Amino acid sequence: MKYIKYLGGFLLLTIICLPLLSQTKERWKDVNNEYINAHGGGVLFHNGLYYWFGEHRPENGFTTEVGVNCYASSDLQNWTHKGVALAVSEEPGSDIERGCIMERPKVIYNKKTGKFVMWFHLELKGQGYGPARAAVAVSDKPEGPYRFVRSGRVNPGIYPENMPEADRKLTWNMKKYKKWWTPEWYKAVNQGLFVKRDIEGGQMSRDMTLFVDDDGKAYHIYSSEENLTLHIAELTDDYLQHSGRYIRIFPGGHNEAPALFKKDNMYWMITSGCTGWDPNEARMFSASSIGGPWKQHPNPCRGQNSEKTFGGQSTFVLELPENRFI
Ligand code: GAL
């Protein structure tokens, strides 16, 4: 379902995940009177049209049987289904084989290459939420079809820029930290227990968003380290890879569903806590530089049911282009 709320000239578009639909009364339909099936998505404005990309979710279960759906609209209210922008593969063993899990797709436009670049959270077929991969696909047209490029963990072999030299040298006995949330465990997480565990294969990447800054640099923001810590990773100029530069923020803060935007030279981020498919209280952060330091603010939602994000969860903040309104 949808929640559209104004936020100081910005539009906060929260598209919540399917299992929460049962708690809502109304479902949004497209111009053909079909239910919009585009969860955890994001919106791209291109040549006068809004393109909404989201997870196609089946009636039952959590696996992806169709792919990433795309809808287009000129007024953000009436949406036309443009088809499946990135379809699952029928090829056994493909990273995006039918039955995998594709979540939180976001598309950005690369002015230099003229390509549309989609990143999403990918779990390989039959492996639950263990792989925790980031995946990328590319297209010449906003609505697709997108060509799958690759998936994997993020920045293997590379430490976050804001991880102190001393912490990089630490070695951990993972067996000692089986019990979570103890003071020793918190300290270890803070010092990069999971960064170190995953350094060779790359960092975990689940709930995610993309952000393009005014200088054209793009960032991938994702829940890493077992969903305990957010990472902000710079992409290469073509947006198809990670550049190797990244930071971690709020270690052990358990943030997911990141949605980032910039207003008056400040970076703002809305996230949620981690309670699976159940809604929780939204969180809000700001920074004057994307590389931090980031500061936490109180819950940005107000009014009835605001402590549960109105039954939803953040996924994307859409800035309305100048002189456009709905
Ligand atoms: C949620 C997350 C969703 C999905 C789900 C799986 O907390 O926001 O994107 O990953 O967990 O349980």
Side-chain angles (χ1 to χ4, degrees), residues 17 55 57 103-104 121 129 207 256-257 274-277 313:
C17 300
E55 305 154 7
R57 289 278 178 182
E103 290 185 346
R104 308 253 164 197
H121 164 203
Y129 277 85
D207 276 8
E256 64 177 13
C274 298
T275 48
W277 299 111
Q313 192 187 31

Side-chain angles (χ1 to χ4, degrees), residues 284-306:
M284 177 98 161
F285 307 88
S286 70
S288 55
S289 155
I290 195 154
W294 285 82
K295 179 181 156 199
Q296 185 155 8
H297 301 275
N299 177 4
C301 301
R302 297 285 178 277
Q304 207 188 350
N305 216 5
S306 55

Side-chain angles (χ1 to χ4, degrees), residues 33 57 123 249:
N33 217 27
R57 289 278 178 182
E123 300 294 349
I249 58 171

Side-chain angles (χ1 to χ4, degrees), residues 139-151:
S139 172
D140 294 324
K141 288 189 290 171
E143 69 272 26
Y146 284 74
R147 177 177 60 83
F148 176 67
V149 180
R150 110 185 67 77
S151 80

Side-chain angles (χ1 to χ4, degrees), residues 44-157:
L44 171 79
F45 182 70
H46 190 77
N47 284 348
L49 277 185
Y50 297 95
Y51 293 87
W52 173 359
F53 301 89
E55 305 154 7
H56 176 282
R57 289 278 178 182
E59 277 303 319
N60 298 298
F62 299 100
T63 57
T64 304
E65 306 299 322
V66 174
V68 174
N69 248 342
C70 177
Y71 294 81
S73 169
S74 57
D75 59 9
L76 291 168
Q77 307 240 8
N78 300 293
W79 294 92
T80 305
H81 189 209
K82 302 295 280 185
V84 181
L86 177 69
V88 291
S89 167
E90 302 302 335
E91 197 188 308
S94 157
D95 286 6
I96 56 165
E97 181 179 357
R98 182 193 297 274
C100 66
I101 302 174
M102 293 179 180
E103 290 185 346
R104 308 253 164 197
K106 305 286 177 299
V107 173
I108 51 179
Y109 176 63
N110 189 305
K111 283 188 190 148
K112 281 188 191 151
T113 62
K115 304 273 185 205
F116 297 85
V117 182
M118 176 192 290
W119 284 84
F120 56 102
H121 164 203
L122 177 72
E123 300 294 349
L124 302 176
K125 183 179 176 179
Q127 298 188 32
Y129 277 85
R133 290 188 181 198
V136 60
V138 68
S139 172
D140 294 324
K141 288 189 290 171
E143 69 272 26
Y146 284 74
R147 177 177 60 83
F148 176 67
V149 180
R150 110 185 67 77
S151 80
R153 290 276 179 98
V154 180
N155 285 324

